[in-house]
Amino acid sequence: MTTKFIFVTGGVVSSLGKGLTSAAIGLLLENRGLSIRMQKIDPYLNVDPGTMSPFQHGEVYVTDDGAETDLDLGHYERFTSSPLDQMSNFTTGRIYQSVIEKERRGDYLGKTVQVIPHITDAIKSSIEEISAPDVDVVIAELGGTVGDIEGLPFLEAIRQFGLEKGPGNILFIHLTLLPYLRASGEVKSKPTQHSVGKLREIGIQPHVIICRTEVPLEAEIRNKISMFCNVAKTHVIEEKDVDFSIYEVPIVLSDQGLDQIIIDNLKLPASPKDLSEWQGMIDKVKTLSQTVEIAVVGKYIELHDAYKSIYEALTHAGIANHCSIQLRKIRAREFEENGSEHLLDGVDGLLVPGGFGERGIEGMISAVRQARETKIPFFGICLGMQIATIEVARNVLGFAGAHSTEFNETTEHPVISLLAEQEQIQDMGGTMRLGSYPCRLKEGSHAHRAYKQTSIHERHRHRYEFNNRYRSDFEANGLIPTGIHPDRDLVEIVEFQDHPWFVAVQYHPEFKSKPLQPHPLFRDFVSAASQRSPERQASHSA
Ligand code: GLN
């Protein structure tokens, strides 16, 4: 069978949850026995989000093959089993880069190079590239909002794509917002009419409209959208704000028959649906008994999206441990101010996530010290692992001023440093240790107990490394390297044995956690934290 294509566009406002909705559609189609591929198209000029500030863009999601991608790919991976790689996310920057390189090589044989057809052709071939004989459906999500100038070449490209593939091979889904006016108690459809009007001007008639709304869709408003937007009433789908969890979205969409609509329109050979396992997970979310409070101390704490996968992985670990996670997000810099010794009072666990640059580093070091000394379960991730190493070097090994050369190039004790081969690199884009690497675990360690195997693969995104010159000093003082890159002898995990749970990893485990398969380290971290919480309550009442 030839691959069919679904394009998901957004209207009215950004941040509507297009990524989540696309991922939910992916889940529903996989559940019907179809093989899918997900793709995110970003109409900005950066070649990839790898060089963008998390404050601008949120987290950079990393794939096994080392692509630095948009965080929506995290949703795709949490909801589906579609493989993701370098081709799963592309930007205007990447398209222009390839077209200009071709132009310089003379590949256009003297022609004038133009947005139409050269840019639009390059866009179409980047979409086509992820189709394959064994792929039933490609779901491509277009970033931004209809009406954005920078999105125009992409809409033109997908219009042409639809024309070339012909009816029955392509489905346009438009996600839109229905604002609710509290004063008059009304839901408004006009912005949606305008947004669909804009799409139709370009030549795209959506087949399905998904309406984000706070309140249920009344028949009257559904009829209005159907008539003005030229979409069948049954194809106007409500996506109301969910009460408990984002993981309810596929169920909400499937209850209105969205999977069947797609299957019928694209004439897909589907099997019956069975969402019982997914539903079981949601039922569990609704009945979580205990609350575990986890402090997250980082640099980009104000922006939830900057640590998106970490928060999701904590939620998954909570479900596995029957507890809901309460986050205490603390800006690292607050640990540099007076009174910071009380910032962790009452928390059950501390997590220090990844990051770049010097701001807040001393604060993170103080936070880790408190967790180590007062035996609060601690989980360090990437920069968090480097911070733990620096803290132990300074305060246990007695190496005053120990540091990472990222923050102090002339430190006397560079316990975190660059590998020799990285020292010459000048470019910032795509030059870190990126993607999946193997790691061998030490038997009997916390890590080994969690993974229940000695050979694992995890994804990396960093420049600096644990400095092996200091390995024996750390070991002699109880901070044990328990995960090692087998060929290059790089320390990927360190942990304390005489602490309830103190594990720090150089990689990003959060990228591989899914609601039905929580990551083993997150699961055990939250388990250690949950054990601390009743203990503490008992000691308080004694
Ligand atoms: N800044 C550190 C490095 O480059 C850590 C990176 C990270 O946390 N992702 O090594």
Side-chain angles (χ1 to χ4, degrees), residues 362 365 389-404 408 411-416 466-477:
E362 293 302 321
I365 293 172
T389 307
I390 296 166
E391 190 280 311
V392 173
R394 288 187 191 174
N395 302 319
V396 180
L397 276 56
F399 294 162
H403 227 316
S404 160
N408 180 355
T411 172
E412 218 183 301
H413 296 291
V415 289
I416 303 291
F466 181 98
N467 186 343
N468 273 334
R469 231 169 74 198
Y470 294 92
R471 197 145 139 188
S472 52
D473 294 310
F474 282 106
E475 265 176 299
N477 285 277

Side-chain angles (χ1 to χ4, degrees), residues 75-94:
H75 290 306
Y76 304 165
E77 195 160 333
R78 287 186 281 274
F79 280 77
T80 77
S81 53
S82 151
L84 297 171
D85 58 26
Q86 298 281 352
M87 283 313 300
S88 311
N89 184 200
F90 68 90
T91 67
T92 301
R94 185 136 125 214

Side-chain angles (χ1 to χ4, degrees), residues 353-357 381-384 386 404 406-407 416 418 432 460-465 506 508:
F356 295 82
I381 293 180
C382 205
L383 177 67
Q386 301 176 355
S404 160
E406 178 178 5
F407 313 120
I416 303 291
L418 282 181
M432 287 187 257
H460 291 246
R461 179 172 184 259
H462 55 99
R463 288 199 170 79
Y464 295 82
E465 302 281 350
Q506 184 57 85
H508 288 276

Side-chain angles (χ1 to χ4, degrees), residues 354-384:
F356 295 82
E358 208 180 341
R359 191 155 52 87
I361 292 296
E362 293 302 321
M364 293 178 215
I365 293 172
S366 309
V368 174
R369 180 177 194 165
Q370 286 181 34
R372 179 177 55 76
E373 290 179 347
T374 61
K375 307 255 185 247
I376 298 173
F378 165 70
F379 193 10
I381 293 180
C382 205
L383 177 67

Side-chain angles (χ1 to χ4, degrees), residues 439-509:
C439 174
R440 178 139 345 109
L441 304 181
K442 187 176 155 79
E443 294 206 19
S445 60
H446 284 299
H448 179 234
R449 275 201 291 282
Y451 285 97
K452 299 186 176 60
Q453 53 191 356
T454 49
S455 171
I456 59 160
H457 283 80
E458 290 282 5
R459 294 179 204 164
H460 291 246
R461 179 172 184 259
H462 55 99
R463 288 199 170 79
Y464 295 82
E465 302 281 350
F466 181 98
N467 186 343
N468 273 334
R469 231 169 74 198
Y470 294 92
R471 197 145 139 188
S472 52
D473 294 310
F474 282 106
E475 265 176 299
N477 285 277
L479 189 71
I480 313 293
T482 57
I484 305 290
H485 183 293
D487 305 325
R488 303 180 56 192
D489 199 31
L490 301 171
V491 173
E492 314 281 38
I493 311 177
V494 289
E495 48 180 273
F496 268 118
Q497 306 298 304
D498 66 339
H499 187 286
W501 209 88
F502 188 107
V503 178
V505 299
Q506 184 57 85
Y507 50 83
H508 288 276

Side-chain angles (χ1 to χ4, degrees), residues 184-240:
S184 56
E186 279 178 296
V187 171
K188 293 303 213 181
S189 71
K190 191 73 83 189
T192 297
Q193 295 175 36
H194 280 299
S195 169
V196 173
K198 219 123 209 97
L199 265 181
R200 293 171 68 194
E201 248 171 56
I202 297 162
I204 295 175
Q205 167 64 54
H207 300 91
V208 174
I209 297 183
I210 302 182
C211 305
R212 295 281 289 108
T213 167
E214 276 177 65
V215 295
L217 264 192
E218 303 289 343
E220 193 193 333
I221 197 106
R222 195 186 290 269
N223 294 345
K224 213 166 165 183
I225 294 172
S226 161
M227 188 183 70
F228 281 104
C229 301
N230 196 32
V231 170
K233 271 183 234 171
T234 48
H235 291 26
V236 179
I237 306 283
E238 167 191 309
E239 190 184 321
K240 196 165 92 53

